[in-house]
Amino acid sequence: MITRSVHKQQAQIWFDKLDARLAEVPYIAGERFTIADILALCTIDFGKVVGLRITPEQPHLQDWHDRVSARSSAQA
């Protein structure tokens, strides 16, 4: 049986990979805002419910999250 902590560890690994990707490009799929950004934003925001957070060691992911969350479409 896979425990909740294993899932959280896997999610943090995914956050680390996103952070590395966002060190290279402004958006997950490259130069433009796409459905990949929308899905990642929803995943990260809903992850807060189970205690998943962007860490200080993931500054590119945090910058991206701040920028994407500030879009008017994210305010709805």
Side-chain angles (χ1 to χ4, degrees):
M1 175 188 255
I2 297 177
T3 64
R4 178 183 252 179
S5 65
V6 170
H7 290 293
K8 284 178 127 176
Q9 289 172 349
Q10 291 173 340
Q12 281 299 331
I13 291 168
W14 181 69
F15 281 17
D16 287 337
K17 290 179 181 184
L18 283 178
D19 185 67
R21 172 70 177 156
L22 293 164
E24 300 171 0
V25 293
Y27 298 101
I28 293 171
E31 298 298 320
R32 293 184 3 216
F33 181 77
T34 67
I35 188 71
D37 298 287
I38 295 167
L39 292 172
L41 179 63
C42 292
T43 301
I44 290 169
D45 287 348
F46 280 110
K48 292 175 185 174
V49 173
V50 294
L52 288 173
R53 300 281 190 273
I54 297 171
T55 67
E57 294 79 26
Q58 299 161 331
H60 306 290
L61 181 57
Q62 185 64 62
D63 290 345
W64 166 87
H65 187 270
D66 293 344
R67 204 168 9 97
V68 172
S69 295
R71 293 175 64 94
S72 60
S73 59
Q75 304 302 310

